[in-house]
Amino acid sequence: MLLLFTAACSSAPSATSGNAGRVPLPLTLTSSAFVNGGAIPADFSCDGRNTSPPLSWSAPPAATQALAVLVQDEDVPGTFTDWALYDLTSGTSLPPGIPASATLASGGKQALNGTGAVGYAGPCPPRGSMHQYVFRIIALDRSTGLPPGSAAADVKNAMQGHIIAMGELAGTYTASPNAVVARPPGAGEAPAASPSAPPPPPRVTVTHHGEGTAMLIAAIAGAALVAVLGGCKAAMAPGERRRAS
C-alpha cells in the first residue's frame, strides 16, 4: 500500500528518513487501569468521564531529549488519533485525568485530537461495537519544536527519523448499544449497529516490540501521506469514526 502511494505521489516523505536504519529500542508501557489486551474501563471513554488513564513506562535511553504519547483507534480506515501529547522532557509516568490544555504544567504539550479538540478523546466506537486502541510511548532524540495545540499529523511528521525507543499498550472498548452521552465538540455520528446483529468478534492484537515499531512507522507514514498529498488518499468522514450526541 505504501509503495503504491509512493509511486503515485513521489513527493511523499519517508517515515524513516534521517533515521539511518536505526531500530527503536523497546520500552515497557503499562497502566494500572487495564492490562495489555484487556478492556479499557468506561471512565476513560466517551461513555464515562472521558479522562485519560494513568500510564507508566520504563526509563528511556540516555539520549532521549523528548517523549511523546500517542493513542490511536486501530479499527477505523485511515487514521484517528485519540490523543497526542508531545515534548515531555522528563518523567516515567502520567497521572489519570490530564487536563485538556495545550500546555501542561510538566512542560509537555497536547495536540488536536481526531475530534478537533485539544487533549484526550476517549474511546467512542459506534454503539454496540468493539474497537482496539493502542497507546504508545515514544522517546525522541530531539523535541518536535512544534507549538502547543498543533495538529496530530504535524506531531507525527516531526517525529520522523528521530524515534530512538518505543513501547505500546493495547486495550479494547465495547460501547453499549444504548449509550447516550455528551460528546466532545467535533465528534461525528457513526453508523449505529443493527440491534438484531451480534457485536463483531473481539480483535485483540498483542504485538512484539518489532511489530509495534512497524505499526508506528506505518501510522506516521500514513499521516504524512494524508497531510502532504491531500487528495492522494481519500479521508474518511468524521461521522464514520465516532458517535455524536
Side-chain angles (χ1 to χ4, degrees):
M1 180 80 66
L2 180 58
L3 291 176
L4 290 176
F5 279 115
T6 303
C9 310
S10 57
S11 61
S14 167
T16 56
S17 60
N19 218 40
R22 177 173 53 193
V23 176
L25 297 171
L27 293 175
T28 300
L29 178 62
T30 61
S31 175
S32 59
F34 63 97
V35 298
N36 191 35
I40 299 171
D43 269 358
F44 307 111
S45 78
C46 70
D47 294 318
R49 294 184 298 168
N50 204 30
T51 58
S52 60
L55 296 173
S56 298
W57 54 89
S58 54
T64 300
Q65 296 298 307
L67 295 165
V69 173
L70 288 181
V71 182
Q72 293 191 164
D73 185 335
E74 299 293 299
D75 286 310
V76 295
T79 300
F80 188 94
T81 302
D82 291 81
W83 196 20
L85 190 158
Y86 54 104
D87 289 351
L88 281 170
T89 56
S90 62
T92 56
S93 66
L94 286 173
I98 296 297
S101 172
T103 302
L104 302 178
S106 62
K109 308 166 189 173
Q110 294 190 96
L112 300 176
N113 58 47
T115 73
V118 168
Y120 178 83
C124 199
R127 292 177 173 88
S129 69
M130 171 189 284
H131 279 197
Q132 177 177 268
Y133 299 83
V134 177
F135 292 69
R136 294 184 175 95
I137 178 69
I138 303 155
L140 305 171
D141 62 8
R142 71 170 192 182
S143 66
T144 67
L146 295 172
S150 294
D154 290 339
V155 175
K156 296 172 188 176
N157 288 340
M159 294 193 300
Q160 292 184 46
H162 299 284
I163 300 172
I164 59 176
M166 188 198 69
E168 64 180 41
L169 171 68
T172 62
Y173 184 72
T174 303
S176 167
N178 301 315
V180 179
V181 300
R183 301 295 187 265
E189 175 63 35
S194 171
S196 60
R203 187 179 78 83
V204 179
T205 303
V206 180
T207 61
H208 297 290
H209 292 292
E211 295 170 339
T213 299
M215 289 171 61
L216 177 66
I217 290 175
I220 294 175
L225 285 170
V226 171
V228 175
L229 307 176
C232 290
K233 182 177 180 183
M236 188 177 181
E240 297 174 332
R241 288 171 167 156
R242 292 173 66 88
R243 287 174 279 139
S245 55

